[in-house]
Structures are given as C-alpha cells and as structure tokens.
Amino acid sequence: MIEDTCLTPYGPVDRFGTSSNPTFVTMGDFNNDDQLDIAVSTYHNMINILLGNGNGTFQDQISIPINAEALIFITSADFNNDKNLDLAVVSQSNLTNSIYILLGNGNGSFLNQYRYVVGIGPSSIAVGDINDDEKLDLIVSNLYSNSISILFGFGNGTFTNQRVYTISSHPSFVTVGDFDNDNRSDLAITLSNREEVSIWLGNGNGTFHSRRNFKVGSQPIFIAVADFNQDNQLDLAVANYNQSNISILLGNGDGSFKNQITFITGSKPNSMAVGDYNNDKYLDLAVTNENEDQLSILLGDGHGQFYQSNRYTTGSSPSSVVSGHLREHNKLDLVVTNYNDGNALVLLGNGDGTFSQITVYPTGGGPIFVAVGDFDNSKNLDLVVANGANNSVSILLSNGNGTFQNQSIVSIHSSPSCVTVGDFNNDQKLDVVVTFMKTDEIGILLGHGNGTFHNENTFNVASGPSSVVAGDFNNDKRLDLAIANCYDHSASILLGNGDGTFKDPSTFWAGGGSCAVTAGDFNNDGKLDLAVADFADNTVNSFIGRGDGTFEGVQTHDTGNVPYSITVGDFNNDGNWDIITADNGENDVRILFGDGKGAFPSFQSIGGVFGPIFVSVGDLNDDKNLDLVIISGYDTNIQVTFGYGNGTFHDAIGYRTGNSPTAAAIGHFNKKNKQDLAVVSSGNNNVAVLLNSCSWLK
C-alpha cells in the first residue's frame, strides 16, 4: 500500500517560493488544524502564508497584499483573544514607518488590517504584556529615530497610540523577558553602532526604572532569549553582524549579566533560532550567515558554552530562521528565508543536531546534463556534468558520505549537449562520451581510473547529435553508441571496437525531429532495441534490433505534443519494457505500455507538469515500484511522483533545486542503499544533491 511507503524521501530539501525578497519568517497554527504553518514577510508589500501538511511539506501559499513597501519583520500572537493567531508586520520606508496588524480568521486567512504609525526606521517588533493588564502590547525598535515605541493593547486587536521612549543610539532589535525575576516584563535592545545591549527593567505599568548597557560585539543586530546554562535565569544570545560571531550573556537574575562569551559563526550573522536540535536536553542555536549563504548550527553544552557542529548551504542571502516541529515526532525542524532567491527553505531535523537537505555544488557555465559513475575506482558514485556554455565537463568525486569534492574541469573543444558513461576500452575504468550539436561530432574521454581523463578523441556523426545512449547493440560484449541527430532527422549507430574507438557510423531515418533516444529489449528476445522521440511529429519511433547492430523497420506510436526526452522502465510490473516521454507542449508525461512483443498498445498520461523537458526513473521510496523525477523548462522546481506499480502515480511533490533545472541523475551517493538525486541547474551553474531520507517517515 502506498500509505506504508515514504512519500517524501527528499522532504528536507523543499524550497517554497514566496513573493520576491522574503525578509522574515514566523511560525504558528494559522488555520487551527494542529499543524505548524509559516508566515513570511516580503520586502515588496506582500505576506505569504504556507499552510503545513504535518509532514514537512506545505500547501500552495496564500498571498496577502499590504498597502506598504519594505515589510521587514513579522511576528504572530493572539491580539484579540479569539483563539486565532494574528500577525504584526513592520513596514520600514520613507512613506510608512508603520506596523500593521492582521487579525486571523482561524482558517489561514486574514481580513482586518490596522495600521499604526511608529518612529522612523522601525526594524523589529516584540510582543508582551508591558503594563500587567493581561492584554498583549507591542514594542517596536525605531532604528533611525533612536527610539522605542510601545503600543498598549486593548485586547480586541487594536492598540493605543504609541508611547515613545528615546534611546541613545540606533536600536536595531528589541525583545521581551523578565530579567530580574520580579514577574514584570523587561526589554533587551541591541544598540547597533555602540556594541552594546541595553536592558530596561519594567515597573509593570509601561514605564521603566532602570537602563543598563552591556558590552557585546560589533553591530549587534538580533537577540535570542533563553536559559542556556540551566540556572533558571534568562540569558541572551546576540548576533554581531560585523564581527561574524555571537555573544552569550549569562543572566544573574537581577537584571544584570556576566561579561560576554563569544562564539564564531559564519560571515554576517543576522538571525537566530533557539531549540534542542540534538535531543540532549540542552538548548542549541541555529544562525543564518547572510554573507556566506549558510546556516550554522551551534550545539549547547547546558553550561552556556557552544560548539559549531555543522554548516548548511541555504539560498542566496538568508535573512531569518525559525524552528518548530513540522512533523509529528520529536525532532525540531528549521525554516530559512532566502532574500535574493525569493523562497523559504525547509530543513527537516534528524534529531541528532544534523539536518538533511539539499547541497549545492558549482559547475561550469550552463550545466545541461548530468550522469553518474565511479570515475576513481573508489566504489563511490561520482558525478559528471556537461557544461553547455563553456566547452567543458565537470567531474565531482564523491567522498562516500553524500558529499562531493570541488569539481575538476575537463576542457573539450565544443559546447556539449549530452553525456553518457561506460567502459568503452575494456580497461575496467569508466569513460565519458559527450555529444556536440554544433560540430556534428561525439567526443570520448577515456578514464585513467583516478578521476582524470585522456585528451578528447572525436568521431563524426550526422547533423545535430543531441542525445546518446550506450549499449551492446551487436552482442560482441563491447559497448556501442546510439545517437539521435536532431537536425538530420536520423539516428546513428557507432559500433565499438573495444579500445575506445568506434567504426564509422551507420545512419538511418528516425523521425522528423529525432532529438532523444533510449534503448531497451522491447520484444524480449535478448537483443537491444531503440526508441526515438520525434520532436516534430509528436511520435515515438521504435526499431527492433537484429543483434548485429542493425534494426528492423520503424513502428510509430503517438505521444503528447513535443516529446522532449525519452526513457524506459517497467512501470506496471508486468515484466515488459515501457517507454515514457516528457511532452513539453502537452504539459504532461506519457507512458507507452509495452506488450513484450515490440508493440505498445496502450498508454497513460500524467498531467499537471508545466512544460516538462526531462524525466528520470528509479525506485525512490523502496517499495519496488518505479517512480519519476520530472523537470519543467518553466520552473525552478523538480517534481517527484511515486508509482503504485500499476502504471499510475501518486500526486507529484515539488522540490526547489535551482534556477532552470535541465536534467537529473539517480544513484546511491552515501552508502545508505537509498536512491539519491543529482540535479543540474543552468540558471545557477550548479548541481544540487538531494540525499534520500525516506526512513524518517517510516
């Protein structure tokens, strides 16, 4: 049953699109379904609500426009005591300098919006009962007017006009806590240009009787409040933006703090989340590092000391982080907003202080295709990437744990369009074959067995070779090549000599736009056959192999509009080869079910994919049924859909990998016997590795 399998093996890689330039994130149950949801503020007048499914994935966002720009901060609370979460949003611009209150309906929507003018350059907002009337108040730091605004709540979602307190220097962040144990709310405020945190002790009526400053690092920008040393006194963690560290100030319980202890982070830390990420009963920290596009995990020892355990790649310019239980088990997860990428990244926790997620590696320019193989004879799968924009292939050697070494670049003479892998000279070392559409050639790089290669050797084929597949088409135990020639409406067979060279190609008509080729035994006679996707005629043409490198006449099968790629597999578990195409113009993929006699009498279409250009096949959730990875030419996501084993599939799940993904390869990258993914994205010039964590949901 599909319910017994893992439907989201790559859940922690999920990136959920937001409106442009997300600035801050908060969590809460906004639709009262007992699942955590996400609310994201964006710089350009929009709030996005992502409703959680309870398994680490989220429904399509709800977008709420705000009549203001520069929404830089968001938090949630029940301001009108109706048991539904509301939102408070900070708008910092020359025109507004306001906060907005959005009252929740309890179904994920928000209707009423109230605006309150505060000081100049509001930069953060805190929620607490400052005047002890059991109604929530708002405290706003005004960066450019050197002031703190307090708005006292009436308990119905509205607030009094601001009470303004001046402060000596550029308050960048404010938070609330009882730092002197008198059961009255106090304030902690970062002074961004004075390397200090200011502590204001409250009188319980909205006024303050003491202000005292404590030394921290350069340009403090964020404060987290918690008991880090388990003495029942509140402590402070402060992100020092200019010093690339955090300051820990342990509280004495009387409103004062011990001298700071500093811990190194990445470059320009700008936000933190607190939680027990390794389940040792001690609080830890997750810190976003804006300048390095990374997240640092600092594990606490329960005495106020921290050590950096791991760093994780985020998107471009992470701006905030929040933690919570996104799934129904005792493992804290994280959500990071990426300002430049316009998305929220979800990292699902393993419960040991680590998080499984996408890892991105740079490639050459315009990566267009990826394949896997053990190029250094280490028994670990490596990656080879064809870089269409700078005449090269990238080799990324595996470390055996799901990570890869920095790429080595192999220059080739022209722009590659496709790549395949095999041992073409029978020396037990993997080689690489590349197609060159511009020069009507293929190139072969013979491997040395250590991750390096001989100089390229080229062979002429017909016009526009766009796709290549390796196989033994003449049953001589030597690898041959079949190539689809997109401009020449043909397919070429190059029979291998077993020494890395090939005989002259035999070429035959394969369709009006024969741009993709695959191979399989379609009639179960032990001889390889060919199938070519006809881009122009919207068909698949199959050719039955004679076992000597030649093929019998064509059989034509209708497919969807513009079949862009083609591959094979047994999708209905009947023991016969089936064919699947990505129908770019039809917004679907189509499976042609084989009868084991060389014919394909029935088909199944899988819709809902906008402009698919590539399909990869594998058993991703260990249920013995083939699943699909589908790449769209008009999206930043890949789609993973899980097969039921009867030719039908579960609803697709989307994963954000990079801009303009073009191809994916499947393989075991970390010795856990689960199928992982490598996805190349031409818009980002990288390859993203998605490690399969299917067991989490079992």
Side-chain angles (χ1 to χ4, degrees):
M1 295 290 293
I2 194 74
E3 289 81 10
D4 296 327
T5 66
C6 176
L7 293 181
T8 56
Y10 308 106
V13 72
D14 278 0
R15 298 171 188 260
F16 299 89
T18 66
S19 302
S20 62
N21 303 128
T23 54
F24 213 83
V25 61
T26 189
M27 283 188 186
D29 182 8
F30 300 118
N31 60 345
N32 292 325
D33 64 350
D34 296 323
Q35 311 294 348
L36 272 182
D37 312 311
I38 297 170
V40 180
S41 59
T42 68
Y43 196 80
H44 300 290
N45 72 339
M46 196 70 68
I47 294 171
N48 300 137
I49 308 296
L50 298 162
L51 298 178
N53 296 317
N55 60 359
T57 66
F58 296 83
Q59 301 173 34
D60 293 338
Q61 66 181 348
I62 302 169
S63 296
I64 304 171
I66 304 292
N67 189 27
E69 287 196 352
L71 306 180
I72 66 165
F73 195 89
I74 189 169
T75 192
S76 61
D78 182 9
F79 298 123
N80 60 348
N81 294 313
D82 65 351
K83 310 300 184 187
N84 300 321
L85 278 181
D86 313 309
L87 296 173
V89 190
V90 174
S91 172
Q92 183 191 105
S93 74
N94 293 330
L95 298 176
T96 53
N97 291 315
S98 306
I99 62 169
Y100 290 80
I101 305 299
L102 287 75
L103 299 182
N105 295 318
N107 60 2
S109 66
F110 298 81
L111 286 181
N112 298 322
Q113 294 184 18
Y114 299 97
R115 176 191 173 196
Y116 298 89
V117 177
V118 291
I120 301 172
S123 54
S124 72
I125 189 169
V127 178
D129 183 8
I130 299 297
N131 57 352
D132 288 343
D133 64 353
E134 298 183 355
K135 299 169 185 175
L136 289 179
D137 311 310
L138 301 175
I139 308 95
V140 181
S141 59
N142 302 307
L143 184 66
Y144 303 130
S145 59
N146 295 333
S147 66
I148 299 294
S149 297
I150 297 181
L151 292 84
F152 298 104
F154 291 117
N156 60 0
T158 65
F159 297 83
T160 64
N161 292 330
Q162 63 172 328
R163 178 182 294 179
V164 179
Y165 294 87
T166 60
I167 194 168
S168 59
S169 177
H170 288 74
S172 56
F173 195 88
V174 61
T175 191
V176 175
D178 182 10
F179 303 120
D180 58 353
N181 291 313
D182 64 352
N183 295 317
R184 298 168 179 170
S185 293
D186 311 311
L187 302 181
I189 307 163
T190 56
L191 307 180
S192 62
N193 65 347
R194 290 204 38 189
E195 301 183 359
E196 291 176 333
V197 168
S198 187
I199 303 298
W200 294 14
L201 300 181
N203 294 315
N205 60 1
T207 65
F208 303 88
H209 67 265
S210 174
R211 300 185 187 183
R212 185 177 175 184
N213 295 351
F214 297 88
K215 181 73 173 178
V216 290
S218 178
Q219 197 174 346
I221 195 174
F222 192 95
I223 305 175
V225 178
D227 180 11
F228 296 118
N229 60 346
Q230 299 188 319
D231 64 351
N232 296 316
Q233 314 294 344
L234 285 182
D235 312 311
L236 302 178
V238 181
N240 302 310
Y241 187 77
N242 276 350
Q243 213 162 337
S244 300
N245 63 18
I246 63 167
S247 298
I248 300 296
L249 287 78
L250 299 177
N252 296 315
D254 59 359
S256 68
F257 294 82
K258 296 179 174 62
N259 291 339
Q260 65 170 332
I261 311 167
T262 60
F263 301 92
I264 298 297
T265 62
S267 180
K268 298 191 181 303
N270 61 353
S271 179
M272 287 183 288
V274 179
D276 180 9
Y277 301 125
N278 59 348
N279 287 323
D280 64 353
K281 310 301 183 184
Y282 306 140
L283 288 179
D284 313 309
L285 291 169
V287 185
T288 52
N289 304 307
E290 179 184 339
N291 202 45
E292 292 183 341
D293 300 340
Q294 287 184 334
L295 178 79
S296 297
I297 303 298
L298 283 73
L299 298 180
D301 67 353
H303 302 286
Q305 298 287 324
F306 293 83
Y307 65 94
Q308 188 158 203
S309 66
N310 288 287
R311 291 191 186 184
Y312 299 90
T313 300
T314 62
S316 180
S317 294
S319 54
S320 69
V321 59
V322 65
S323 61
H325 297 284
L326 299 177
R327 300 157 296 162
E328 295 179 355
H329 52 60
N330 191 35
K331 299 173 183 177
L332 273 178
D333 310 307
L334 295 171
V335 180
V336 179
T337 54
N338 299 305
Y339 183 85
N340 287 343
D341 285 342
N343 63 40
L345 170 68
V346 175
L347 296 86
L348 299 182
N350 297 323
D352 60 358
T354 66
F355 297 82
S356 294
Q357 60 135 76
I358 183 174
T359 305
V360 177
Y361 300 89
T363 63
I368 194 171
F369 207 88
V370 60
V372 300
D374 181 8
F375 301 119
D376 58 355
N377 287 328
S378 65
K379 302 190 185 306
N380 301 317
L381 279 182
D382 312 309
L383 303 177
V384 57
V385 179
N387 301 311
N390 67 351
N391 298 354
S392 69
V393 295
S394 297
I395 306 296
L396 290 88
L397 298 179
S398 173
N399 296 315
N401 59 359
T403 66
F404 294 81
Q405 301 174 34
N406 291 334
Q407 64 174 327
S408 60
I409 297 290
V410 181
S411 295
I412 49 185
H413 80 284
S414 185
S415 173
S417 52
C418 189
V419 63
T420 195
V421 172
D423 180 10
F424 297 102
N425 60 347
N426 292 318
D427 65 351
Q428 312 302 312
K429 301 169 185 175
L430 278 185
D431 314 309
V432 173
V433 169
V434 186
T435 59
F436 302 112
M437 291 186 69
K438 291 182 179 180
T439 60
D440 302 336
E441 297 170 305
I442 63 137
I444 184 167
L445 301 165
L446 298 178
H448 295 140
N450 60 0
T452 65
F453 297 84
H454 295 300
N455 290 335
E456 163 193 20
N457 193 12
T458 60
F459 300 87
N460 292 322
V461 289
S463 180
S466 57
S467 174
V468 59
V469 64
D472 184 6
F473 298 114
N474 60 348
N475 289 326
D476 66 351
K477 305 197 183 308
R478 301 168 182 171
L479 276 182
D480 314 308
L481 296 173
I483 299 162
N485 304 302
C486 200
Y487 303 152
D488 200 39
H489 319 308
S490 67
S492 296
I493 303 297
L494 284 78
L495 298 179
N497 296 315
D499 59 358
T501 66
F502 299 87
K503 295 179 172 62
D504 291 339
S506 61
T507 299
F508 52 91
W509 180 92
S514 50
C515 295
V517 63
T518 191
D521 185 4
F522 303 134
N523 61 349
N524 291 319
D525 66 351
K527 303 169 186 175
L528 277 181
D529 312 310
L530 288 181
V532 180
D534 188 339
F535 194 98
D537 296 330
N538 301 327
T539 60
V540 168
N541 297 316
S542 61
F543 303 84
I544 300 301
R546 297 187 175 100
D548 60 358
T550 65
F551 297 84
E552 304 206 14
V554 63
Q555 297 184 49
T556 298
H557 318 277
D558 290 333
T559 184
N561 192 17
V562 191
Y564 212 93
S565 70
I566 188 171
T567 191
V568 294
D570 183 7
F571 301 107
N572 57 355
N573 291 325
D574 65 351
N576 300 320
W577 287 90
D578 310 313
I579 295 171
I580 188 168
T581 59
D583 300 327
N584 183 259
E586 196 87 357
N587 296 332
D588 69 9
V589 298
R590 180 169 296 196
I591 300 174
L592 305 174
F593 296 109
D595 63 0
K597 302 175 183 179
F600 299 85
S602 62
F603 71 90
Q604 173 73 41
S605 292
I606 304 170
V609 185
F610 187 46
I613 61 171
F614 187 86
V615 182
S616 193
V617 174
D619 181 10
L620 304 179
N621 58 348
D622 298 327
D623 65 351
K624 311 304 181 185
N625 301 318
L626 287 181
D627 312 308
L628 306 177
V629 180
I630 306 169
I631 293 177
S632 167
Y634 305 98
D635 204 349
T636 56
N637 293 349
I638 64 171
Q639 302 290 323
V640 176
T641 180
F642 299 92
Y644 291 103
N646 60 0
T648 64
F649 292 81
H650 193 270
D651 291 341
I653 302 169
Y655 303 94
R656 177 75 180 266
T657 57
N659 292 335
S660 301
T662 57
I666 297 174
H668 301 293
F669 298 142
N670 60 354
K671 299 184 183 299
K672 292 186 177 181
N673 201 34
K674 299 181 185 296
Q675 297 275 20
D676 309 308
L677 296 179
V679 183
V680 287
S681 298
S682 60
N684 294 114
N685 293 335
N686 62 37
V687 56
V689 176
L690 291 71
L691 297 181
N692 192 326
S693 52
C694 179
S695 61
W696 293 359
L697 298 186
K698 290 187 175 181

